[in-house]
Amino acid sequence: MKESVASTIFVLLLFLNTRLLNGQSPPGKPEILKCRSPEKETFTCWWKPGEDGGLPTNYTLTYHKEGETLTHECPDYTTSGPNSCYFNKKHTSIWTMYIITINATNQMGSTSSDPRYVDVTYIVEPDPPVNLTLELKQPEDKKPYLWMKWFPPTLVDVRSGWLTLQYEIRLKPEKATEWETHFAGQQTQFKILSLYPGQKYLVQVRCKPDHGFWSEWSPESSIQIPNDVTMKDTIVWIFVAVLSAVICLIMVVAVALKGHSMVTCILPPVPGPKIKGFDTHLLEVLAPWLGGRTPAGRHLLRALHLQTSSSRIPKMCPSLSRAFWTSVTKLGLHTKPRMPPCDFTPEKYQSLAYDRVLEVHRLHL
């Protein structure tokens, strides 16, 4: 009995050694590359096979849900292509963790991949938007702009709110190397204002859900911008610049030639106080007694622009004739002036009532 067992083991080792010498071995360890859901209703997982060991190798995907012990095999190996497993709506659950493993098996043995933990909610990567259209609009009296619009991916249900998408646009002149990117939010239309005339622009758009990844860029759409798109705006701005320069030049010349006159017009001098009832000639006569020979006196005389009212003096005191005031000029600095006789009797002054004075004081002060 022992001899038969030993011979059996010897034959198996000889068989295994023969296979190894022929380059045959168990399969290499497979690797799960990616799991993706295009619309949060179905998903697909892809894997990369390891070495086949020189023998035909069979790959299977097995999974179980978190909290369950029952293991299931991939429901569809063909829909998403080779080395993939497709989960339809029947086999897809959101807010559920899937533990997925790839098993490789040949005649020499089997090998399993590292487990992959998948929550469908967080692996959503939609298809690119569709039907991207471009249009150059030139409204009257406004700058032309590039108007673009598109539609969400066909498989995504955005009307019911099951999935909310955000969009991003990129464009560039055909010969440029760097793209200009714009975030469009949830709207499916956008306009670009800054355009180079005579350039052919390439435009693409992509989308992203609230939880998930950006889609691939849509196929390129192109539009040719005419050379004369911004010609009117350019002419208007040139005209405004030339006109502004001419106006500034005229103002500078005017200020240089008539600087004092313009300052006087803009900031006229403040007029001095004018006191009615005094004769200018009388002020000149009395200048020595007012300190007119000192700097302070001269300043006082210049500041007081007195209004001539010589017609009032004879009425008040007829004896004060101009001849008298002329004789005053003969007096010296040390001569005591003598008041002339005057037959003028002033009228009785009637002041305001005390209550009225208080009212005026309260109103103005």
Side-chain angles (χ1 to χ4, degrees), residues 312-321 325 340-345:
R312 184 181 176 188
I313 297 176
K315 295 180 180 179
M316 295 174 60
C317 189
S319 61
L320 295 179
S321 62
W325 296 110
C342 180
D343 55 356
F344 172 72
T345 302

Side-chain angles (χ1 to χ4, degrees), residues 1-10:
M1 181 68 179
K2 292 182 179 179
E3 293 179 356
S4 62
V5 172
S7 61
T8 302
I9 294 175
F10 176 77

Side-chain angles (χ1 to χ4, degrees), residues 99-160:
I99 296 91
I100 301 174
T101 306
I102 306 298
N103 306 295
T105 306
N106 63 13
Q107 293 181 357
M108 297 296 292
S110 62
T111 308
S112 297
S113 68
D114 295 329
R116 183 73 170 255
Y117 296 85
V118 175
D119 187 338
V120 179
T121 305
Y122 295 98
I123 62 169
V124 179
E125 182 183 324
D127 296 328
V130 296
N131 297 337
L132 174 61
T133 57
L134 308 176
E135 183 181 356
L136 183 66
K137 295 192 175 184
Q138 303 185 46
E140 295 182 0
D141 301 329
K142 293 183 179 180
K143 293 187 66 175
Y145 60 88
L146 177 60
W147 177 260
M148 57 187 73
K149 61 181 179 179
W150 58 88
F151 290 94
T154 307
L155 297 177
V156 177
D157 181 13
V158 294
R159 293 185 177 180
S160 65

Side-chain angles (χ1 to χ4, degrees), residues 36 44 57 108 119 141 166 243 316 331 362:
R36 168 182 174 262
T44 301
T57 304
M108 297 296 292
D119 187 338
D141 301 329
Q166 299 177 341
L243 182 61
M316 295 174 60
L331 297 175
R362 184 173 57 255

